[in-house]
Each structure stands twice: as C-alpha cells, then as structure tokens.
Amino acid sequence: MTERGGQMQAERQADVISEYEKIDLEAMLQDYWRCLKKYWLQFLLFAVIAAIGAVGFYNWKYMPEYSAKITYAVYKTSDTAIDGALARRLSQALPVLTGMKDFKNDLFHRIEENTINENFSFQSSYTEGGTLFEVSVNANNYQNANTLLKIFKEIYPEWASKSVGTVELQIVDESEASESPSVTHSPLLSAAKGALAGMFICFLLATIYVLTMQTVRKEGDMRKVTSSNCIALLPEVKLKKRMLSTKSLLLLTNKRVDWGLKQSILAAQSRIENVMSADKRQVLMVTSTLPREGKSMISVNLAIAFAQKGRKVLLLDADFRKPSVETVLGLEETEGLSDYFKAGIKLEGLIKQQDGIDILPGGTISGAASGIINEKEMEGLMETLKKEYEYIIIDTPPACMFTDAAMMSKYADAVVYAVCHDMAAVRQIREGIAPFIQNQKLIGYLINRNPGGFSSYGKYGRYGSYSRYGHYSKYKRYIELDEKEMNTEETL
C-alpha cells in the first residue's frame, strides 16, 4: 500500500514538472514572438544586407569553369572483372599522375608558350563494375579546356601504360567544352543563401535576447522579487482608431473597452476588497516602478469598480509632479491636494465627482511630495477622509525614481504594485517594491498589458498610442530637471 502511494505521488510530481516545462516552453515562444515584433525591422534589414553581401561575395569569388570530357574503355584481358579493376585503378591514380612534375612538363612541352594559364584541373570518375572511366579537363576558358584535352589524349595512353603496364585504351565518348560555362553563378541563389544566413544569425541574436531578458513577463519572474500573490493579469488591448480621439479610453464605463480588461479589473477589485475588508483596511495605494506602466489607469478603474459595488470611494491623486488621474478621466487640470496644503484652499471646493467616484486631484502646484505635504496636516486630512469614505485609493509617482510613493505609503493601509509586462527590469522592480515589503503593506501586484500568449485572453494587440514606452535610462533626465518640469506619466 505504501509502495503504491509513493508511486502515485511520483506520478503527480512528474505531471507537475511536465506542466511547468510546458509553461516554460510557451513562455519562451512568447518571448521569441515579442522579440520579432519589437525588432522585425532590424531583422529584415540585416537579412537584406546579408543577401546583398552574399551576392557581392559570390560575384567576387566566382570564376567561370568550362569542362571538356573524354571517356575511355579499358581492354587488356578478356576478363571484365580484371579490366574493370584496371579502369578503377587508372581513374583513382589520375589526380596523382596529372600532378606529377614530369607529366606537367610533357603536357606543357607540347603547348605553345603563354597560351595556357595554370587555372585548370583534371578529374576522373569511375562507374563501379564497368570497364569505363571518364576524364574531365576543367579550365576558366573553353579554348584552354579543349587544347588541354587534345594534348591529354596524345600523351595519356603512354603514361597509363607506365602506371599499370601495357594497356589498350579505347575512346568511347568525347565532348569538347562549349562557350557556355559548365558551372554558372546565380545571383538569386546567392541572395537566398545570404538571406538564410542572415536569418539564422538573427535567430541566434533573438535567442541571446530571450535568454538574457531581465524584465517581468510572467508571474514566475515576480517570484524573484516577492512572495506576494499576483492579484490579476490585465490583458493587452487594442483600441480602434475612432476611440483614440476620445479622452476616456481605458475605463470600465467605456462600453468599447475590451471585455477581458474589464473582467480582469473587476476580479482584481474583488480580491483587493476581500483582503482589505478582512483586515479592516481603508486606504489603498497604487504605484509602479517606472512611468507608463499604467498605474493611474489601474487606480481610476479600481475606484470605479469599488463604486460599482456600491462602495463610497475617494480617488486621491498624490502625483504632484505630473497628476494623471484627470487625464485618464478626461477632466481639465484643476486645483487639488497640492493647493490644499500650499494655498490653503478648503477641501470641499477641491473634490470632484465623476463616474460614481469622488476625485481629489493632484493640484496645480508641482514638486516633490516632501516639499508640499505637511505630515501632521496630512494625517489629520486622512482621518477626516476615512470617516467620510469606505475606501480611499491613492495614486502616486513611480517608486523606483522618486521617494514620494514610499512617503505616501505611511498614510496607506495597503499597497498594490503595478508591473507592466516586459518593461522594468527585475532589479528595478526589486528596488521600487522594497519599502512596501519592509513595512508589510504590500498585498499583491498586477501585471499590466499582459499579451496573453497562445492560451490566455487571446490577441488583443496593443494599447494604441499608449504602448510606445522607453527604457529606464530615458527617464534619468527627470532627476536633472527642475521639479516643475518633471513629467512622470507622459502616457498611462
């Protein structure tokens, strides 16, 4: 019984391992496909350059070859087997014979001086079981090939007799070289070979790219960073052209937004609320590693999802460097939280309503949160807001670039981290998410713009104009700019 149980357990483990291998293979195929989509133009140009280079190389190396041939039959005995063996021996010995100095001297002695160049060769072939063998004279000029063949016919029988003894050679076939080369050069074939070689090199480069990728592309990559759970995978969606002119693009309230994205957001909201209500938490902060990872879009949609569940919710934009909540909702820039602290404007005049939620914008005064927020006043404000709202969602600047998110997490009960698929490096995410792991407020993460691969939501395409994001080095320039000019969310 115990042995049977152990066998069943081993089988289950094997099934699990097999499943992981399947997932890894699928992920690798997705990485190859992503690499192709990202660098297809460079790969195409490389293949074209390789094709052109191959044509040029073969043109440079190509030398036309003309061939004249003669076929001998061996007659020495009446035994076909013996004569066949002599034919095979003569055929095999021909390259050695024609390479001998004495043979060459005899050959050139019969040729007018400077009429034949040395770009020629003799080759021989023998058909097994027969008494025939063929000799071909190859040269880069058809007249040279014919001249050499003529002289070869004159001197070869004597040299053959020296090699195997007296032997009778009968010519059974003879063909002179024509003006058309026997070996031709095809530029099209050369281009095809070059293109294939270029594609193979591109495949090797893509393999190196796939094996050295350090960005997050699946949940398993995030396990290198945190043991927290993935709350949801938000699919990559494709917006139709007629939608790109609207301000409210990726919102739950937009009927044209993809069903898969809506369901993922609603599922995320449900899981977040379960965790927060179980621990009696009210304030949720949303942040990310870099700009353009979609955290503002996530913050807004989570707030709308809470409101659709009948919860009274406030969306607070704490990105004072470049408030983005208004942009997502299609609102005009207006006074907000920064004006509350710096200009002394009353809270009642700052809160806006849209899509069933209350919004406290970032405000018109830009800068670092530490330079705008008064800690005691912020604590008092949060206590007031907690009494008024069931849930408060805070949108902050990127955590890896600025300390604002870490500072604002003091006023939050829970943190959700937005990770854009194949954007930030694992080391950057680890750096950005570390403060929230340390203060034990991280409840999970969402992977945004997940392509879905071959088995998920399917092909949703891209975010349209929102998909063109750069690398981390591009945003280092923000550190060197005046805080009023800093822009942490050019797109959402």
Side-chain angles (χ1 to χ4, degrees):
M1 187 70 177
T2 304
E3 184 178 351
R4 176 61 179 171
Q7 183 179 355
M8 294 177 62
Q9 184 177 2
E11 291 176 355
R12 286 195 296 269
Q13 290 176 348
D15 292 339
V16 171
I17 292 173
S18 176
E19 182 65 23
Y20 275 117
E21 289 176 350
K22 178 181 177 182
I23 294 173
D24 288 341
L25 177 60
E26 182 177 337
M28 181 170 287
L29 291 176
Q30 292 175 14
D31 292 341
Y32 273 114
W33 177 241
R34 191 177 309 109
C35 180
L36 178 62
K37 290 196 295 182
K38 188 174 183 180
Y39 298 109
W40 70 268
L41 181 58
Q42 290 88 331
F43 288 164
L44 178 62
L45 289 175
F46 190 86
V48 171
I49 292 172
I52 295 172
V55 172
F57 174 77
Y58 282 112
N59 281 337
W60 174 63
K61 294 287 290 183
Y62 172 69
M63 182 177 295
E65 186 176 286
Y66 301 84
S67 182
K69 298 180 180 180
I70 184 170
T71 303
Y72 288 108
V74 177
Y75 294 99
K76 185 171 183 178
T77 70
S78 58
D79 191 331
T80 303
I82 295 175
D83 290 343
L86 288 174
R88 181 174 64 252
R89 180 178 171 185
L90 289 171
S91 177
Q92 293 173 347
L94 184 73
V96 178
L97 176 65
T98 55
M100 293 173 59
K101 184 178 180 181
D102 291 342
F103 182 86
K104 288 184 177 180
N105 289 338
D106 191 10
L107 185 70
F108 281 99
H109 178 69
R110 302 166 187 264
I111 300 174
E112 295 182 14
E113 189 176 359
N114 298 327
T115 59
I116 301 291
N117 61 45
E118 294 187 3
N119 293 319
F120 67 89
S121 64
F122 290 91
Q123 294 179 343
S124 180
S125 61
Y126 165 74
T127 302
E128 192 67 35
T131 60
L132 306 178
F133 68 97
E134 182 184 76
V135 178
S136 61
V137 183
N138 306 310
N140 61 354
N141 181 286
Y142 78 96
Q143 293 176 336
N144 290 350
N146 293 332
T147 300
L148 289 167
L149 180 64
K150 179 181 178 181
I151 298 172
F152 179 83
K153 285 194 303 180
E154 297 175 4
I155 68 173
Y156 182 65
E158 181 181 350
W159 282 93
S161 296
K162 292 179 181 179
S163 175
V164 297
T166 303
V167 62
E168 181 183 348
L169 297 176
Q170 182 179 346
I171 298 174
V172 297
D173 188 31
E174 181 179 353
S175 61
E176 292 187 344
S178 65
E179 296 183 12
S180 300
S182 58
V183 178
T184 59
H185 167 59
S186 172
L188 184 60
L189 181 60
S190 299
K193 290 180 178 178
L196 286 174
M199 292 170 63
F200 180 72
I201 294 174
C202 289
F203 173 76
L204 293 180
L205 293 175
T207 300
I208 295 173
Y209 172 83
V210 168
L211 295 177
T212 57
M213 287 179 71
Q214 296 297 320
T215 56
V216 169
R217 300 168 325 274
K218 54 184 182 295
E219 293 181 58
D221 296 329
M222 280 299 292
R223 295 193 186 103
K224 303 174 185 177
V225 179
T226 177
S227 58
S228 297
N229 294 325
C230 177
I231 297 173
L233 299 176
L234 306 185
E236 191 174 28
V237 300
K238 183 177 181 180
L239 295 175
K240 297 180 180 180
K241 291 183 178 180
R242 65 176 179 268
M243 297 175 63
L244 297 179
S245 60
T246 64
K247 291 184 178 180
S248 300
L249 293 176
L250 299 174
L251 297 180
L252 289 176
T253 52
N254 189 337
K255 295 181 179 179
R256 293 177 178 174
V257 168
D258 186 86
W259 178 87
L261 177 63
K262 289 182 178 180
Q263 294 304 310
S264 296
I265 292 173
L266 292 174
Q269 182 276 330
S270 179
R271 292 167 186 166
I272 291 171
E273 184 175 7
N274 287 339
V275 173
M276 295 185 69
S277 61
D279 298 334
K280 297 182 179 180
R281 306 185 193 188
Q282 284 183 267
V283 184
L284 173 69
M285 191 186 86
V286 180
T287 189
S288 63
T289 305
L290 304 176
R292 304 183 181 186
E293 294 200 71
K295 61 177 181 56
S296 296
M297 180 273 293
I298 292 171
S299 300
V300 172
N301 279 296
L302 284 177
I304 294 174
F306 272 101
Q308 289 180 350
K309 287 285 191 70
R311 313 294 184 254
K312 188 174 183 181
V313 60
L314 172 72
L315 177 59
L316 191 156
D317 192 344
D319 188 347
F320 303 116
R321 302 174 188 273
K322 182 61 179 180
S324 303
V325 168
E326 297 148 285
T327 305
V328 178
L329 290 167
L331 301 174
E332 298 295 331
E333 182 178 341
T334 182
E335 295 172 333
L337 188 60
S338 62
D339 302 283
Y340 171 82
F341 287 106
K342 290 296 184 180
I345 299 176
K346 292 183 178 181
L347 185 64
E348 292 77 10
L350 298 176
I351 295 178
K352 313 297 180 185
Q353 287 83 31
Q354 183 165 320
D355 293 324
I357 60 174
D358 286 358
I359 305 113
L360 181 54
T364 58
I365 301 172
S366 61
S370 58
I372 293 176
I373 292 178
N374 179 286
E375 186 173 347
K376 290 185 178 180
E377 291 182 5
M378 184 65 182
E379 290 176 354
L381 174 63
M382 292 304 296
E383 290 301 321
T384 301
L385 295 175
K386 286 180 181 180
K387 295 176 182 178
E388 184 70 19
Y389 297 94
E390 292 180 76
Y391 292 100
I392 301 170
I393 298 177
I394 305 176
D395 182 49
T396 68
C400 187
M401 297 179 59
F402 307 103
T403 59
D404 299 36
M407 175 184 172
M408 292 302 300
S409 67
K410 294 188 297 184
Y411 310 106
D413 303 319
V415 175
V416 168
Y417 206 83
V419 179
C420 183
H421 182 274
D422 193 24
M423 184 172 179
V426 171
R427 60 177 178 81
Q428 295 170 329
I429 297 173
R430 185 180 292 113
E431 179 183 345
I433 205 172
F436 318 118
I437 296 176
Q438 292 173 2
N439 61 23
Q440 298 181 350
K441 292 186 177 181
L442 181 70
I443 62 172
Y445 58 89
L446 298 98
I447 297 181
N448 190 27
R449 300 177 192 166
N450 178 55
F454 305 103
S455 61
S456 186
Y457 286 101
K459 298 180 180 179
Y460 289 101
R462 290 188 173 274
Y463 271 94
S465 60
Y466 290 139
S467 65
R468 300 178 180 270
Y469 48 76
H471 294 287
Y472 179 57
S473 57
K474 175 179 177 182
Y475 299 100
K476 291 182 179 178
R477 59 187 175 88
Y478 292 132
I479 309 301
E480 301 171 0
L481 297 175
D482 182 82
E483 287 187 341
K484 293 182 180 181
E485 299 176 356
M486 289 184 178
N487 180 357
T488 61
E489 290 266 359
E490 293 178 359
T491 56
L492 303 175

